[in-house]
Amino acid sequence: MNKGHSSRLVEMGPELAEVTAAATFVSRLVKTRGFLSEHQLREFRDCLQQSLSEHYHDHWFPDKPQKGSGYRCIRINHEMDPIIGRAAGRIGLTSDQLFALLPRELTLWVDPFEVSYRIGEDGSICVLYEAEAPVPAAAPSPDPTQNCKNQFRISGRSSPPKNYLMTVSS
């Protein structure tokens, strides 16, 4: 990781674990289908991590994890998410190359205390990272329907993916 990235990541604060999980996951997807060197993969991951931390800077609410969930959602739906596209551009990947390396449909939710994803419109939602949220003394129970990820779970869209079998290992 170069010094520009590491100094910003130290400043990032509480979302570091979630952003790291998201950037590492996307990098591993690229690696499984790709032709990139380890150096290029590290640079892509670091650029993506930096871009995500900048994007989430004023949109991270640990006391209300569902707030801003839609803003923090990374989405590929036959169009590349601009944050992923910019990180790929920094290492010289073209849009066509990036589409060849990633699923055509991917949703990645990066929320305080949880990072999860779904491949395909009808894919199951899988959790990549989960941490316990601190519980305030008199906190009301959160409404599980308040974030976009839970809307998919509630609407019954939890069938297994039709075209993708993904295994992520550490």
Side-chain angles (χ1 to χ4, degrees):
M1 189 180 305
N2 72 35
K3 291 181 182 185
H5 292 299
S6 61
S7 64
R8 174 66 179 115
L9 293 174
V10 170
E11 296 171 17
M12 241 175 59
E15 74 271 19
L16 178 61
E18 291 89 341
V19 168
T20 298
T24 299
F25 174 71
V26 175
S27 301
R28 287 182 179 158
L29 286 175
V30 168
K31 181 180 181 176
T32 61
R33 297 181 176 198
F35 52 85
L36 301 177
S37 70
E38 286 299 318
H39 173 75
Q40 287 175 304
L41 286 167
R42 274 192 309 276
E43 185 68 19
F44 172 73
R45 183 197 63 220
D46 293 349
C47 288
L48 182 56
Q49 194 166 332
Q50 177 71 22
S51 295
L52 290 173
S53 71
E54 290 169 0
H55 186 69
Y56 298 159
H57 180 69
D58 293 321
H59 299 274
W60 196 259
F61 308 99
D63 55 330
K64 297 178 182 173
Q66 294 82 18
K67 182 178 179 181
S69 183
Y71 180 84
R72 292 185 305 268
C73 183
I74 303 297
R75 187 89 169 104
I76 300 170
N77 188 8
H78 304 287
E79 288 185 26
M80 187 54 58
D81 186 276
I83 296 171
I84 294 174
R86 280 191 302 272
R90 289 183 188 169
I91 64 164
L93 278 179
T94 67
S95 183
D96 288 339
Q97 289 171 319
L98 191 55
F99 270 116
L101 297 171
L102 291 170
R104 287 282 183 200
E105 294 178 351
L106 170 69
T107 306
L108 183 63
W109 293 276
V110 184
D111 295 321
F113 315 111
E114 183 177 297
V115 178
S116 51
Y117 72 96
R118 181 187 68 211
I119 295 176
E121 285 299 311
D122 296 320
S124 297
I125 295 173
C126 302
V127 175
L128 291 171
Y129 170 86
E130 193 169 32
E132 282 196 37
V135 179
S141 297
D143 181 354
T145 65
Q146 290 302 311
N147 68 23
C148 61
K149 176 180 56 181
N150 284 334
Q151 288 293 331
F152 283 107
R153 286 183 176 154
I154 291 167
S155 70
R157 299 193 78 165
S158 61
S159 61
K162 295 176 183 171
N163 297 331
Y164 295 100
L165 174 62
M166 176 57 57
T167 306
V168 178
S169 60
S170 19

